[in-house]
Amino acid sequence: MFYFFQQMIFLRPTRKNREKETMIKQKTSIVILDANGDSNQKIQIPTIILKNWKIILGVSLFFICMICAVVVFVATKTQSDRYEQELTKKMEALEKAKQSLAVEEASNQLNLVQVQKSFESIDSTLNQINAKMRKRGLKDVAPKLKNAGGPIEKEENLDELSKYYEKRLKSIDKKLEGLPLGIPHHGKITSRFGYRRNPFTNRGLEMHSGIDIKGSIGEPIKATAAGKIVHAGYKGQYGKVVIIEHSNGWETRYAHLSTTKVKVGQKIDAGQVIGTLGNTGRSTGPHLHYELLSYGKKLNPEKTMLF
């Protein structure tokens, strides 16, 4: 037989605990009166709350303030993080833009150097052309400025420089287009510019105002520059001759032709066929008599012929 014993332990509440329990259990009635002083509603609130309302209110306000502070802190932190991220992105964008501008500036500097070298090359080429023109007794294609001066501006404007050189090169191109250069017919020169013996009597001297180039009848004769036809036909001792008026006072004559291929008033280009080689006029055999004039003065055509 088994026996079970149960022992009950009773804790006697202390006086202080009993007072707390009594206060918690005690309630105080609060009567709400209307405007007439009549009782409208009555509510009961634990007496302990009324006795300790300052402490409860202070604790409540403290917790409310803490909660508000936490909310404000979290909101501020979130906003701050967002602003920081946006600022970081903007800084990165600015840094990329700065790098891009640096690359662009370096490229522009490189382009500026390249353009300056190109302009210097053009100037050098023009100086060489002018030197050759002077050597041949011809005028410069890009003459020096006279009665000019002024302070030097160090600032360089690529756009203005480009326009200047474009205009200058167009002007030079136009001058060169109307400047008699080259050979009107490929052949052996049989008589040069200057005094010579009379080819018919072989006696005495006569002035030969051009050069004679040997060839066969019917071979093409080409203009040495662009210009306008002022004569195409028979003209005394020249026989059949084509006379071309060029720009800047230049004129060329192609004599002793067998046929002419152009008409008076016609505009022609450099290298265009204007007639065929012949033996008309004062001639001892098939050849081309070629003359070059500058403002009416006859010059040695060999100085402008590029062999």
Side-chain angles (χ1 to χ4, degrees):
M1 179 180 297
F2 296 91
Y3 294 93
F4 296 92
F5 298 93
Q6 184 177 12
Q7 183 178 9
M8 298 181 63
I9 301 174
F10 295 94
L11 296 176
R12 174 181 285 184
T14 63
R15 182 179 179 182
K16 190 175 183 180
N17 290 334
R18 286 198 304 269
E19 288 178 357
K20 286 184 179 180
E21 288 177 2
T22 303
M23 289 181 66
I24 292 173
K25 291 178 180 180
Q26 287 180 354
K27 292 185 179 181
T28 302
S29 296
I30 299 176
V31 179
I32 301 175
L33 303 176
D34 57 14
N36 297 322
D38 297 328
S39 176
N40 186 25
Q41 189 177 0
K42 183 172 65 174
I43 60 174
Q44 290 184 344
I45 299 175
T47 304
I48 191 172
I49 294 178
L50 289 176
K51 288 186 177 182
N52 299 285
W53 68 272
K54 291 183 179 181
I55 298 173
I56 295 171
L57 180 61
V59 172
S60 300
L61 289 174
F62 173 77
F63 280 107
I64 291 172
C65 291
M66 287 295 294
I67 293 171
C68 291
V70 171
V71 171
V72 171
F73 174 79
V74 172
T76 304
K77 185 68 169 60
T78 305
Q79 189 78 355
S80 177
D81 292 343
R82 186 167 63 85
Y83 283 153
E84 186 177 353
Q85 291 176 358
E86 291 180 357
L87 183 61
T88 302
K89 290 180 180 179
K90 288 181 180 180
M91 291 295 291
E92 291 176 353
L94 287 173
E95 186 64 26
K96 289 182 180 179
K98 181 180 177 181
Q99 292 177 359
S100 177
L101 286 173
V103 172
E104 184 178 353
E105 184 178 357
S107 177
N108 290 337
Q109 289 294 330
L110 181 62
N111 290 337
L112 177 61
V113 172
Q114 292 175 342
V115 171
Q116 287 175 335
K117 287 183 179 179
S118 298
F119 291 157
E120 290 173 1
S121 177
I122 292 173
D123 286 333
S124 177
T125 302
L126 290 178
N127 290 333
Q128 292 177 10
I129 292 174
N130 286 334
K132 291 180 180 179
M133 298 295 286
R134 289 192 294 270
K135 187 176 181 180
R136 293 172 181 172
L138 304 176
K139 296 180 180 179
D140 291 356
V141 294
K144 294 181 179 180
L145 294 176
K146 295 181 179 180
N147 303 99
I152 298 174
E153 296 291 343
K154 294 184 178 180
E155 182 179 356
E156 294 183 348
N157 188 314
L158 287 182
D159 185 52
E160 291 299 324
L161 279 174
S162 298
K163 289 180 180 178
Y164 167 77
Y165 276 98
E166 182 180 0
K167 182 179 179 181
R168 190 175 186 187
L169 289 175
K170 283 183 178 179
S171 174
I172 293 171
D173 182 58
K174 187 175 181 181
K175 288 181 180 179
L176 290 175
E177 186 179 315
L179 179 64
L181 295 171
I183 303 172
H185 173 69
H186 289 279
K188 182 181 178 181
I189 296 177
T190 54
S191 183
R192 300 185 183 278
F193 180 88
Y195 284 97
R196 68 179 183 182
R197 284 186 176 276
N198 188 311
F200 291 93
T201 63
N202 202 28
R203 294 179 181 179
L205 296 176
E206 64 179 23
M207 178 61 187
H208 188 223
S209 57
I211 59 172
D212 293 338
I213 303 175
K214 184 179 179 181
S216 301
I217 294 177
E219 291 179 339
I221 303 301
K222 298 179 180 180
T224 54
K228 180 181 178 181
I229 305 298
V230 294
H231 184 89
Y234 211 89
K235 187 179 178 67
Q237 295 182 351
Y238 282 108
K240 286 187 177 181
V241 60
V242 171
I243 300 176
I244 305 175
E245 187 178 83
H246 309 283
S247 59
N248 299 308
W250 294 102
E251 182 182 302
T252 52
R253 299 176 181 179
Y254 310 79
H256 307 313
L257 301 177
S258 58
T259 60
T260 58
K261 302 288 186 180
V262 290
K263 297 179 180 180
V264 174
Q266 180 181 344
K267 292 183 178 181
I268 53 95
D269 297 323
Q272 183 174 334
V273 175
I274 57 172
T276 56
L277 189 143
N279 190 32
T280 59
R282 186 174 182 267
S283 172
T284 60
H287 74 281
L288 169 68
H289 175 80
Y290 176 57
E291 289 185 5
L292 173 67
L293 294 84
S294 175
Y295 293 102
K297 181 182 179 181
K298 294 181 179 180
L299 304 174
N300 185 359
E302 281 191 73
K303 293 183 177 180
T304 65
M305 296 174 70
L306 309 174
F307 294 95

